[in-house]
Amino acid sequence: MSKISGLFARRGYNIDSLTVGETEDPHISRMTIVVKDDESIVEQINKQLNKLIDVIKIIELSEQRSVFRELALIKISLNQSNRSVITETVNIFRGNIIDVDNKSIIVEVTGSNDKITAFIELVKPYGIKEMVRTGLTALERGNSK
Amino acid sequence: MRAAEGIIKCLQEEGVEVVFGYPGGAVLPIYESLRQSGIRHVLTRHEQAAGHSASGYARATGKTGVCIVTSGPGATNLITAIANSYMDSTPIVAITGQVRSGLIGKDVFQEADIIGSTASFTKHSYLIKDAEEIPRIIKEAFHIASTGRPGPVLIDIPVDIQSKEIAFKYPEEINIRGYKPNINGHKLQIKKAVEAIKNSKKPLICLGGGVISAKAEREADELIEKGGIPVVHTLMGKGSIKDKSPYYLGLIGSHGNYHCNRALANADVLILIGTRVGDRAIRDQSLFSHGATIIHIDIDPAEIGKNLSSMIPVVGDAKNILDQMAKDMESLDTQAWIREINSWKRERNNDSKHSIGVEPKAVLDILSRKVDMNAVLTADVGQNQIWAAHNFIIDGERKFFTSGGLGTMGYAIPSAIGAKIGMPDRQIIAVMGDGSFQMSFSELGTLIQENLKILFLMFNNRRLGMVRELQTNAHWDTFGIELSHNPDFIKIFEAYGLQGTRVESNDEFKNALDKALTSDKSFIIECIIDPNLSTL
Ligand SMILES: Cc1ncc(C[n+]2csc(CCOP(=O)(O)OP(=O)(O)O)c2C)c(N)n1
Ligand SMILES: [Mg+2]
């Protein structure tokens, strides 16, 4: 993990997001890295990552053939007047309310990057107290493996 | 078996005969086992030198060099040598002691995160957490260091782990999921490359250090001879081709020959072999805007297209790729092209514009005529390096080592020591400046302790000549470069029980060289040179 983020820093590549977690094989973890850059730079990133001995395989995920998800936790200020409209928005976005007290509410939303951004824009006027986004994680569809 | 003993046993399994080292508390168990083994331990006078000597040894023998140092300052002192070996793709395995496993992260005495500090310039590194893993890890380390594109591998071993009991079994096979270097060039790509060369009017081959690591000199020569293709080389590629080859042109790069750089810019098919086309070799990439076809042969796919976009990439080991290419090559009519390149030749301007002292070019010419056909020359960094690179003639089995990628001052002496230990029967010459000498002359102690004979050739301009030259070229006043308090270098040699001569003319140099070559001990010839000489 530190080797990979270090490589990006050292060679001056920009990362939009990087997520890491376990896979079906407990000896292997899987990272999803989002970069926006020229094709030639992406190719260099690919090759440089491949040189790391701990890196087993690199898959470039195409937008068409993969599913992407991101999760966000958002703590929104709560008062009598906005409560129901927030709840409604959460429902429309198929989010979940996971914690409430009398001053705030924590909402969980998953989906594409765009969907989450749209949700955030909608609830912003009510006052976002705190927020975390996980960054993108993804898998190729069907039996492409 | 004690883990420390296991570590030494692994080294023996890997055929290690010598380790360069500097002990301390965190490697004592290893040292105790080393003492009882038949492996030769060379105590250097600084950890950086242990690393550079391992690198010189590796380059001389083609084997992996090994160094062992203690935790904390021992490990941090080694950092420059690790970076150096990474930049020049030299296979070394560096073993560092580490504080007790349970104390890591607590900033205890002599703790340094050496894995983290060197992460960006080791090919790979291991922190051993379980003593049972030692055999696997050491086997992998040697495999990774020496295969594919060679490089440094670091193994950090906490001192308590070294004393654990283990059931020793050396693995027979290696299976590293993320490491499968591609050796065989793609057949179709090779064919494409050969076709492109056959259809070219102005082909040019550029040899890099990778040709030497791949031991592909003969195959390269076959391709060159068979096709009649003119050839240039990078600084790291010096030694891959003999100067007397009829197709030999010279050195490219920021300090290279004008006609060689111009040839690069005018070739219609450029064949890059084992070179990363670093900024020092090919500074101005717009040179290639004229649409030459670029064939790039390298074991490291990441080098292809990193600095220069290549039209025909061939990934694999240069030895077998060149062998296949040579087989299919046919004789090309390149006479007119070679004549054209040679017509661009210019006298290397400042080499001989000296007013006092000896002339570096003449010194290296004389040296080249006198030394053995299999002599090894190590050059330090600075003007001395450029003079040596241009004027030491490669012939026979001669070799030339220098710090190319990192440009590490102080490399010549310890790498010469490593080379001499690896090739005791060869003449070894270390070329350096007065500045670089002072960065590692403490290694004279190592030299005497190991009873080695090396010829030292120092160009004394009483300054950091190369920096002066850069300042002058930038139209700045010279600053911070005077070495006006240089010691009497000959006396330093005498203090170590060695001899030397100071020379102020080419004739004096000739006599001194005769004396040095017949001396049975290491000898220094200190050449007083004009402080205003330039290399460009
Ligand atoms: C460790 C290190 N520090 C600084 C430099 C920058 N540098 C490059 S050449 C040079 C001068 C070398 O002086 P000297 O050894 O006397 O050689 P000369 O150029 O005079 O032949 C310096 C300081 C370097 N290459 N390496
Ligand atoms: Mg000098």
Side-chain angles (χ1 to χ4, degrees):
Chain A
M1 172 82 182
S2 67
K3 278 186 185 163
I4 290 185
S5 53
L7 186 136
F8 275 84
R10 179 169 73 93
R11 296 202 180 256
Y13 307 137
N14 292 318
I15 313 185
D16 275 20
S17 81
L18 190 162
T19 61
V20 60
E22 262 181 32
T23 63
E24 68 283 3
D25 176 343
H27 300 290
I28 297 175
S29 47
R30 177 164 172 148
M31 288 188 185
T32 308
I33 303 174
V34 181
V35 286
K36 284 200 197 89
D37 223 321
D38 295 351
E39 207 176 308
S40 65
I41 305 232
V42 174
E43 186 183 324
Q44 256 303 303
I45 293 174
N46 200 325
K47 285 174 170 178
Q48 292 294 347
L49 286 173
N50 241 320
K51 274 175 75 164
L52 298 176
I53 314 278
D54 294 329
V55 172
I56 295 170
K57 192 171 177 192
I58 295 167
I59 311 166
E60 265 187 64
L61 297 173
S62 75
E63 271 181 71
Q64 296 81 26
R65 280 186 292 110
S66 321
V67 290
F68 298 87
R69 282 292 178 274
E70 185 180 334
L71 181 143
L73 295 178
I74 305 158
K75 190 188 284 173
I76 308 164
S77 307
L78 205 61
N79 54 42
Q80 283 312 318
S81 63
N82 66 16
R83 186 179 195 122
S84 59
V85 41
I86 290 175
T87 324
E88 215 171 286
T89 317
V90 170
N91 285 337
I92 295 170
F93 279 80
R94 280 189 242 133
N96 289 313
I97 293 169
I98 49 182
D99 194 49
V100 205
D101 64 15
N102 48 16
K103 290 226 173 69
S104 65
I105 176 170
I106 297 180
V107 174
E108 167 206 310
V109 209
T110 49
S112 70
N113 190 285
D114 289 348
K115 172 179 159 188
I116 292 173
T117 306
F119 178 81
I120 290 165
E121 287 305 315
L122 279 178
V123 296
K124 223 180 217 166
Y126 309 118
I128 294 178
K129 290 185 143 178
E130 263 184 274
M131 177 177 90
V132 284
R133 295 177 71 157
T134 58
L136 214 61
T137 163
L139 271 185
E140 278 192 303
R141 291 177 198 277
N143 50 11
S144 50
K145 186 173 175 183
Chain B
M1 179 188 294
R2 276 219 323 174
E5 201 182 319
I7 293 168
I8 300 301
K9 224 166 157 210
C10 294
L11 298 183
Q12 284 167 331
E13 292 276 352
E14 291 298 325
V16 174
E17 290 163 7
V18 50
V19 303
F20 300 89
Y22 211 104
V27 286
L28 286 184
I30 298 180
Y31 263 70
E32 173 57 13
S33 298
L34 185 58
R35 180 180 69 80
Q36 295 170 20
S37 74
I39 296 178
R40 175 173 175 190
H41 172 250
V42 176
L43 173 67
T44 57
R45 296 300 182 266
H46 189 288
E47 288 86 354
Q48 184 181 138
H52 287 330
S53 289
S55 145
Y57 177 87
R59 291 171 79 167
T61 58
K63 291 167 58 173
T64 299
V66 180
C67 51
I68 304 182
V69 304
T70 193
S71 68
T76 53
N77 268 354
L78 186 64
I79 289 179
T80 302
I82 294 175
N84 189 78
S85 118
Y86 182 78
M87 292 293 266
D88 287 346
S89 309
T90 314
I92 66 170
V93 167
I95 297 178
T96 50
Q98 183 52 278
V99 301
R100 306 177 62 83
S101 332
L103 298 177
I104 291 179
K106 298 199 162 47
D107 297 327
V108 296
F109 181 63
Q110 296 197 329
E111 178 182 0
D113 172 15
I114 193 63
I115 300 264
S117 324
T118 56
S120 66
F121 42 77
T122 42
K123 187 170 171 187
H124 195 47
S125 50
Y126 297 92
L127 169 63
I128 300 190
K129 292 176 180 156
D130 173 1
E132 298 289 345
E133 296 245 90
I134 286 172
R136 174 185 67 81
I137 287 177
I138 295 185
K139 191 172 176 85
E140 284 184 10
F142 276 85
H143 176 69
I144 292 170
S146 60
T147 55
R149 178 182 183 173
V153 177
L154 178 93
I155 311 175
D156 200 22
I157 316 180
V159 63
D160 56 318
I161 298 273
Q162 298 168 27
S163 299
K164 290 253 157 68
E165 280 296 317
I166 59 169
F168 184 87
K169 187 167 175 294
Y170 207 60
E172 284 174 10
E173 286 187 2
I174 287 181
N175 184 15
I176 310 167
R177 289 186 69 173
Y179 182 71
K180 304 256 162 16
N182 189 348
I183 304 295
N184 297 315
H186 195 284
K187 284 261 181 297
L188 203 70
Q189 291 298 95
I190 293 176
K191 205 168 153 214
K192 263 202 216 158
V194 172
E195 286 312 309
I197 301 171
K198 282 184 186 166
N199 291 323
S200 73
K201 300 256 171 324
K202 298 182 172 186
L204 184 71
I205 287 183
C206 176
L207 303 174
V211 176
I212 301 172
S213 329
K215 304 185 180 74
E217 296 93 338
R218 214 191 61 225
E219 289 74 12
D221 201 46
E222 271 167 26
L223 177 67
I224 291 160
E225 289 278 336
K226 213 163 159 198
I229 307 165
V231 55
V232 294
H233 62 81
T234 64
L235 183 61
M236 288 303 292
K238 185 175 172 77
S240 58
I241 171 114
K242 296 186 179 79
D243 291 29
K244 68 181 179 202
S245 159
Y247 305 102
Y248 177 76
L249 297 171
L251 177 71
I252 59 159
S254 55
H255 288 85
N257 294 102
Y258 173 76
H259 69 287
C260 296
N261 288 332
R262 191 155 166 193
L264 271 182
N266 283 276
D268 62 358
V269 172
L270 179 59
I271 307 114
L272 304 166
I273 311 170
T275 167
R276 62 193 167 94
V277 272
D279 57 317
R280 283 257 149 167
I282 300 182
R283 206 195 257 169
D284 182 5
Q285 309 204 345
S286 64
L287 286 181
F288 301 98
S289 54
H290 65 286
T293 302
I294 294 171
I295 299 169
H296 196 167
I297 302 169
D298 208 293
I299 187 94
D300 181 357
E303 285 308 340
I304 297 178
K306 182 176 89 184
N307 296 332
L308 203 62
S309 57
S310 146
M311 287 138 192
I312 310 181
V314 191
V315 176
D317 179 51
K319 194 176 176 76
N320 77 58
I321 292 171
L322 293 178
D323 184 51
Q324 293 177 57
M325 285 175 71
K327 282 203 183 96
D328 296 334
M329 191 45 58
E330 55 194 39
S331 176
L332 308 171
D333 180 13
T334 52
Q335 285 312 311
W337 163 228
I338 294 175
R339 268 199 307 279
E340 185 183 359
I341 301 173
N342 279 318
S343 74
W344 298 327
K345 250 190 191 160
R346 285 183 187 167
E347 192 52 32
R348 274 192 45 84
N349 22 26
N350 289 307
D351 277 7
S352 48
K353 279 187 201 151
H354 73 123
S355 52
I356 56 154
V358 301
E359 186 190 340
K361 178 174 174 5
V363 158
L364 285 147
D365 284 346
I366 298 167
L367 183 88
S368 296
R369 264 179 272 128
K370 285 276 172 85
V371 298
D372 293 348
M373 275 306 172
N374 64 3
V376 178
L377 185 142
T378 67
D380 217 284
V381 172
Q383 294 182 312
N384 61 86
Q385 176 185 37
I386 306 304
W387 288 319
H390 277 286
N391 301 305
F392 178 61
I393 293 172
I394 296 296
D395 200 350
E397 300 294 308
R398 283 183 185 170
K399 289 175 185 279
F400 175 88
F401 303 155
T402 195
S403 166
L406 200 64
T408 315
M409 279 175 73
Y411 182 70
I413 300 177
S415 62
I417 288 176
K420 184 70 184 177
I421 288 173
M423 293 181 143
D425 299 330
R426 296 229 193 166
Q427 246 172 13
I428 312 280
I429 305 130
V431 173
M432 68 214 73
D434 48 328
S436 36
F437 175 80
Q438 291 178 78
M439 277 214 181
S440 50
F441 81 81
S442 51
E443 291 310 306
L444 289 176
T446 313
L447 186 88
I448 296 165
Q449 153 199 298
E450 300 300 315
N451 202 9
L452 307 173
K453 185 188 160 186
I454 289 171
L455 169 60
F456 288 70
L457 181 58
M458 182 207 284
F459 290 111
N460 184 356
N461 48 14
R462 296 181 304 288
R463 55 185 52 198
L464 305 173
M466 183 58 93
V467 180
R468 196 278 306 154
E469 189 174 335
L470 293 173
Q471 290 174 337
T472 307
N473 292 349
H475 307 291
W476 287 321
D477 282 343
T478 59
F479 175 71
I481 50 100
E482 295 291 340
L483 296 171
S484 41
H485 296 276
N486 271 342
D488 180 332
F489 293 115
I490 308 297
K491 278 206 181 127
I492 290 184
F493 267 65
E494 286 169 0
Y496 280 96
L498 299 171
Q499 278 189 311
T501 309
R502 182 175 302 121
V503 301
E504 308 206 14
S505 73
N506 296 353
D507 279 339
E508 278 177 31
F509 174 76
K510 253 183 233 161
N511 295 334
L513 183 61
D514 289 338
K515 197 168 153 201
L517 291 176
T518 51
S519 158
D520 58 352
K521 282 190 186 160
S522 290
F523 194 96
I524 185 167
I525 307 179
E526 176 191 355
C527 300
I528 304 299
I529 59 169
D530 185 334
N532 293 315
L533 280 182
S534 294
T535 57
L536 284 176

